Short mmCIF file of all heavy atoms in Angstrom, two decimals:
data_model
loop_
_atom_site.label_atom_id
_atom_site.label_comp_id
_atom_site.label_asym_id
_atom_site.label_seq_id
_atom_site.Cartn_x
_atom_site.Cartn_y
_atom_site.Cartn_z
N ARG A 1 171.65 112.98 116.02
CA ARG A 1 171.70 113.07 114.57
C ARG A 1 171.57 114.53 114.14
O ARG A 1 171.04 115.36 114.87
CB ARG A 1 170.59 112.25 113.94
CG ARG A 1 169.19 112.64 114.39
CD ARG A 1 168.15 111.74 113.75
NE ARG A 1 166.80 112.11 114.14
CZ ARG A 1 165.70 111.52 113.65
NH1 ARG A 1 165.82 110.53 112.79
NH2 ARG A 1 164.51 111.93 114.03
N PRO A 2 172.05 114.85 112.95
CA PRO A 2 172.03 116.25 112.50
C PRO A 2 170.63 116.71 112.13
O PRO A 2 169.76 115.91 111.75
CB PRO A 2 172.96 116.24 111.29
CG PRO A 2 172.93 114.84 110.79
CD PRO A 2 172.75 113.97 111.99
N ILE A 3 170.42 118.02 112.23
CA ILE A 3 169.15 118.62 111.78
C ILE A 3 169.21 118.87 110.27
O ILE A 3 168.24 118.66 109.55
CB ILE A 3 168.89 119.94 112.53
CG1 ILE A 3 168.74 119.68 114.02
CG2 ILE A 3 167.64 120.63 111.99
CD1 ILE A 3 168.58 120.93 114.86
N LEU A 4 170.35 119.31 109.78
CA LEU A 4 170.57 119.53 108.35
C LEU A 4 171.72 118.66 107.89
O LEU A 4 172.71 118.50 108.62
CB LEU A 4 170.91 121.00 108.06
CG LEU A 4 169.82 122.05 108.33
CD1 LEU A 4 170.36 123.43 108.05
CD2 LEU A 4 168.59 121.78 107.47
N THR A 5 171.62 118.13 106.69
CA THR A 5 172.66 117.27 106.15
C THR A 5 172.96 117.64 104.71
O THR A 5 172.04 117.62 103.86
CB THR A 5 172.25 115.78 106.22
OG1 THR A 5 171.93 115.45 107.58
CG2 THR A 5 173.38 114.88 105.75
N ASN A 6 174.21 118.04 104.44
CA ASN A 6 174.71 118.26 103.09
C ASN A 6 173.82 119.23 102.28
O ASN A 6 173.41 118.94 101.15
CB ASN A 6 174.82 116.91 102.36
CG ASN A 6 175.76 117.00 101.17
OD1 ASN A 6 176.70 117.79 101.16
ND2 ASN A 6 175.50 116.19 100.15
N VAL A 7 173.53 120.39 102.88
CA VAL A 7 172.69 121.39 102.22
C VAL A 7 173.58 122.35 101.44
O VAL A 7 174.59 122.84 101.95
CB VAL A 7 171.85 122.18 103.25
CG1 VAL A 7 171.07 123.31 102.57
CG2 VAL A 7 170.91 121.24 103.98
N SER A 8 173.21 122.63 100.18
CA SER A 8 173.96 123.57 99.35
C SER A 8 173.00 124.50 98.63
O SER A 8 171.88 124.10 98.27
CB SER A 8 174.82 122.83 98.31
OG SER A 8 175.78 121.99 98.94
N LEU A 9 173.40 125.75 98.44
CA LEU A 9 172.64 126.69 97.63
C LEU A 9 173.56 127.84 97.25
O LEU A 9 174.63 128.02 97.82
CB LEU A 9 171.41 127.21 98.40
CG LEU A 9 171.64 127.99 99.70
CD1 LEU A 9 171.82 129.48 99.43
CD2 LEU A 9 170.46 127.78 100.65
N SER A 10 173.12 128.61 96.27
CA SER A 10 173.91 129.75 95.81
C SER A 10 172.96 130.85 95.35
O SER A 10 172.03 130.59 94.58
CB SER A 10 174.84 129.34 94.66
OG SER A 10 175.57 130.45 94.20
N LEU A 11 173.15 132.07 95.85
CA LEU A 11 172.33 133.21 95.50
C LEU A 11 173.22 134.36 95.07
O LEU A 11 174.19 134.69 95.74
CB LEU A 11 171.49 133.66 96.71
CG LEU A 11 170.40 132.70 97.21
CD1 LEU A 11 169.82 133.19 98.52
CD2 LEU A 11 169.31 132.55 96.16
N THR A 12 172.88 134.96 93.94
CA THR A 12 173.60 136.14 93.49
C THR A 12 172.88 137.38 94.00
O THR A 12 171.70 137.31 94.38
CB THR A 12 173.67 136.17 91.96
OG1 THR A 12 172.34 136.18 91.44
CG2 THR A 12 174.42 134.96 91.42
N PRO A 13 173.54 138.54 94.03
CA PRO A 13 172.88 139.76 94.50
C PRO A 13 171.61 140.04 93.71
O PRO A 13 171.58 139.97 92.49
CB PRO A 13 173.94 140.84 94.26
CG PRO A 13 175.24 140.11 94.33
CD PRO A 13 174.97 138.76 93.73
N GLY A 14 170.52 140.32 94.44
CA GLY A 14 169.24 140.60 93.81
C GLY A 14 168.31 139.42 93.78
O GLY A 14 167.10 139.58 93.57
N GLU A 15 168.81 138.21 93.93
CA GLU A 15 167.96 137.03 93.93
C GLU A 15 167.27 136.86 95.29
O GLU A 15 167.77 137.31 96.32
CB GLU A 15 168.78 135.78 93.64
CG GLU A 15 169.13 135.57 92.17
CD GLU A 15 169.73 134.20 91.94
OE1 GLU A 15 170.85 133.95 92.41
OE2 GLU A 15 169.06 133.37 91.27
N ALA A 16 166.11 136.20 95.28
CA ALA A 16 165.38 135.90 96.50
C ALA A 16 165.09 134.41 96.54
O ALA A 16 164.88 133.78 95.48
CB ALA A 16 164.07 136.68 96.56
N LEU A 17 165.08 133.85 97.72
CA LEU A 17 164.85 132.42 97.87
C LEU A 17 163.85 132.20 99.00
O LEU A 17 164.00 132.75 100.08
CB LEU A 17 166.17 131.70 98.21
CG LEU A 17 166.05 130.21 98.54
CD1 LEU A 17 165.64 129.40 97.32
CD2 LEU A 17 167.37 129.68 99.12
N ALA A 18 162.83 131.40 98.74
CA ALA A 18 161.87 131.00 99.77
C ALA A 18 162.10 129.53 100.09
O ALA A 18 162.21 128.71 99.18
CB ALA A 18 160.44 131.21 99.30
N VAL A 19 162.19 129.21 101.36
CA VAL A 19 162.41 127.83 101.79
C VAL A 19 161.13 127.37 102.47
O VAL A 19 160.68 127.98 103.44
CB VAL A 19 163.59 127.73 102.77
CG1 VAL A 19 163.78 126.29 103.22
CG2 VAL A 19 164.86 128.25 102.11
N ILE A 20 160.53 126.31 101.96
CA ILE A 20 159.28 125.80 102.53
C ILE A 20 159.49 124.35 102.94
O ILE A 20 160.39 123.66 102.45
CB ILE A 20 158.11 125.90 101.54
CG1 ILE A 20 158.41 125.11 100.25
CG2 ILE A 20 157.82 127.35 101.20
CD1 ILE A 20 157.24 125.07 99.28
N GLY A 21 158.68 123.89 103.84
CA GLY A 21 158.79 122.52 104.31
C GLY A 21 157.99 122.33 105.57
O GLY A 21 157.52 123.30 106.18
N PRO A 22 157.80 121.10 105.99
CA PRO A 22 157.02 120.82 107.19
C PRO A 22 157.74 121.31 108.45
O PRO A 22 158.92 121.66 108.42
CB PRO A 22 156.88 119.30 107.18
CG PRO A 22 158.08 118.82 106.42
CD PRO A 22 158.33 119.85 105.37
N SER A 23 156.99 121.32 109.53
CA SER A 23 157.56 121.73 110.81
C SER A 23 158.70 120.79 111.20
O SER A 23 158.65 119.59 110.94
CB SER A 23 156.47 121.71 111.89
OG SER A 23 157.00 122.07 113.14
N ALA A 24 159.74 121.41 111.82
CA ALA A 24 160.92 120.66 112.30
C ALA A 24 161.74 120.06 111.17
O ALA A 24 162.49 119.11 111.38
CB ALA A 24 160.50 119.57 113.27
N SER A 25 161.63 120.62 109.96
CA SER A 25 162.43 120.12 108.85
C SER A 25 163.78 120.83 108.75
O SER A 25 164.60 120.46 107.91
CB SER A 25 161.67 120.28 107.53
OG SER A 25 161.39 121.65 107.28
N GLY A 26 164.00 121.88 109.55
CA GLY A 26 165.30 122.53 109.55
C GLY A 26 165.30 123.91 108.92
O GLY A 26 166.38 124.48 108.70
N LYS A 27 164.12 124.49 108.68
CA LYS A 27 164.07 125.82 108.04
C LYS A 27 164.71 126.88 108.95
O LYS A 27 165.54 127.68 108.50
CB LYS A 27 162.62 126.21 107.72
CG LYS A 27 161.89 125.23 106.81
CD LYS A 27 160.50 125.73 106.45
CE LYS A 27 159.60 125.91 107.68
NZ LYS A 27 159.36 124.63 108.39
N SER A 28 164.31 126.90 110.20
CA SER A 28 164.86 127.90 111.13
C SER A 28 166.36 127.69 111.34
O SER A 28 167.13 128.66 111.46
CB SER A 28 164.14 127.84 112.47
OG SER A 28 162.77 128.14 112.33
N THR A 29 166.78 126.44 111.36
CA THR A 29 168.20 126.16 111.51
C THR A 29 168.99 126.71 110.33
O THR A 29 170.06 127.31 110.51
CB THR A 29 168.42 124.64 111.62
OG1 THR A 29 167.73 124.15 112.78
CG2 THR A 29 169.91 124.31 111.75
N LEU A 30 168.45 126.54 109.11
CA LEU A 30 169.12 127.08 107.93
C LEU A 30 169.21 128.61 108.01
O LEU A 30 170.24 129.20 107.68
CB LEU A 30 168.37 126.65 106.66
CG LEU A 30 168.93 127.19 105.34
CD1 LEU A 30 170.39 126.76 105.15
CD2 LEU A 30 168.07 126.75 104.16
N CYS A 31 168.12 129.23 108.48
CA CYS A 31 168.15 130.70 108.63
C CYS A 31 169.22 131.13 109.63
O CYS A 31 169.93 132.12 109.41
CB CYS A 31 166.78 131.20 109.08
SG CYS A 31 165.50 131.15 107.81
N ARG A 32 169.36 130.39 110.71
CA ARG A 32 170.38 130.74 111.71
C ARG A 32 171.79 130.57 111.14
O ARG A 32 172.68 131.36 111.46
CB ARG A 32 170.20 129.88 112.96
CG ARG A 32 168.90 130.18 113.73
CD ARG A 32 168.85 129.42 115.05
NE ARG A 32 167.62 129.72 115.79
CZ ARG A 32 166.55 128.95 115.84
NH1 ARG A 32 166.54 127.78 115.20
NH2 ARG A 32 165.48 129.31 116.52
N LEU A 33 171.97 129.56 110.31
CA LEU A 33 173.28 129.39 109.67
C LEU A 33 173.55 130.53 108.69
O LEU A 33 174.66 131.07 108.64
CB LEU A 33 173.34 128.04 108.94
CG LEU A 33 173.28 126.78 109.79
CD1 LEU A 33 173.31 125.54 108.91
CD2 LEU A 33 174.43 126.73 110.78
N LEU A 34 172.53 130.93 107.92
CA LEU A 34 172.71 132.01 106.95
C LEU A 34 172.96 133.35 107.65
O LEU A 34 173.65 134.22 107.09
CB LEU A 34 171.46 132.13 106.06
CG LEU A 34 171.24 130.99 105.06
CD1 LEU A 34 169.86 131.10 104.41
CD2 LEU A 34 172.32 131.01 103.98
N ALA A 35 172.40 133.52 108.85
CA ALA A 35 172.60 134.77 109.58
C ALA A 35 173.88 134.77 110.40
O ALA A 35 174.25 135.80 110.97
CB ALA A 35 171.40 135.03 110.49
N GLY A 36 174.55 133.63 110.47
CA GLY A 36 175.77 133.57 111.26
C GLY A 36 175.53 133.36 112.74
O GLY A 36 176.47 133.46 113.54
N VAL A 37 174.27 133.09 113.13
CA VAL A 37 173.98 132.84 114.54
C VAL A 37 174.63 131.53 114.98
O VAL A 37 175.20 131.44 116.07
CB VAL A 37 172.46 132.79 114.77
CG1 VAL A 37 172.13 132.42 116.21
CG2 VAL A 37 171.84 134.13 114.42
N TRP A 38 174.55 130.51 114.14
CA TRP A 38 175.21 129.23 114.37
C TRP A 38 176.23 128.97 113.27
O TRP A 38 176.13 129.54 112.17
CB TRP A 38 174.20 128.08 114.39
CG TRP A 38 173.29 128.09 115.58
CD1 TRP A 38 173.44 128.76 116.74
CD2 TRP A 38 172.06 127.36 115.71
NE1 TRP A 38 172.41 128.52 117.61
CE2 TRP A 38 171.54 127.65 117.01
CE3 TRP A 38 171.35 126.48 114.90
CZ2 TRP A 38 170.35 127.11 117.48
CZ3 TRP A 38 170.16 125.93 115.38
CH2 TRP A 38 169.66 126.24 116.65
N ARG A 39 177.19 128.13 113.55
CA ARG A 39 178.16 127.72 112.55
C ARG A 39 177.86 126.28 112.15
O ARG A 39 177.51 125.45 112.99
CB ARG A 39 179.59 127.78 113.10
CG ARG A 39 180.09 129.19 113.37
CD ARG A 39 181.55 129.15 113.77
NE ARG A 39 182.03 130.48 114.15
CZ ARG A 39 183.28 130.73 114.53
NH1 ARG A 39 184.17 129.75 114.58
NH2 ARG A 39 183.64 131.95 114.86
N PRO A 40 178.01 125.95 110.86
CA PRO A 40 177.76 124.56 110.44
C PRO A 40 178.78 123.61 111.07
O PRO A 40 179.95 123.96 111.26
CB PRO A 40 177.89 124.62 108.92
CG PRO A 40 178.73 125.82 108.65
CD PRO A 40 178.42 126.79 109.73
N THR A 41 178.31 122.40 111.39
CA THR A 41 179.23 121.38 111.91
C THR A 41 180.21 120.95 110.83
O THR A 41 181.40 120.78 111.09
CB THR A 41 178.43 120.17 112.41
OG1 THR A 41 177.41 120.61 113.33
CG2 THR A 41 179.32 119.17 113.11
#
């Protein structure tokens, strides 16, 4: 099963976003997708 499902967000230049949640909820996975380390399925 997927770690992340149907996640969307939008940030303009200068904005900051904090992502919080319990362990194993997919925070690190989202960071890897945002950094280009992984590609979304």
Side-chain angles (χ1 to χ4, degrees):
R1 58 182 181 176
I3 298 176
L4 294 178
T5 304
N6 200 30
V7 175
S8 298
L9 62 88
S10 178
L11 293 171
T12 59
E15 282 190 292
L17 174 68
V19 179
I20 59 175
S23 178
S25 61
K27 302 185 299 298
S28 298
T29 299
L30 178 59
C31 288
R32 293 186 179 101
L33 294 178
L34 290 170
V37 176
W38 290 344
R39 292 185 185 181
T41 308

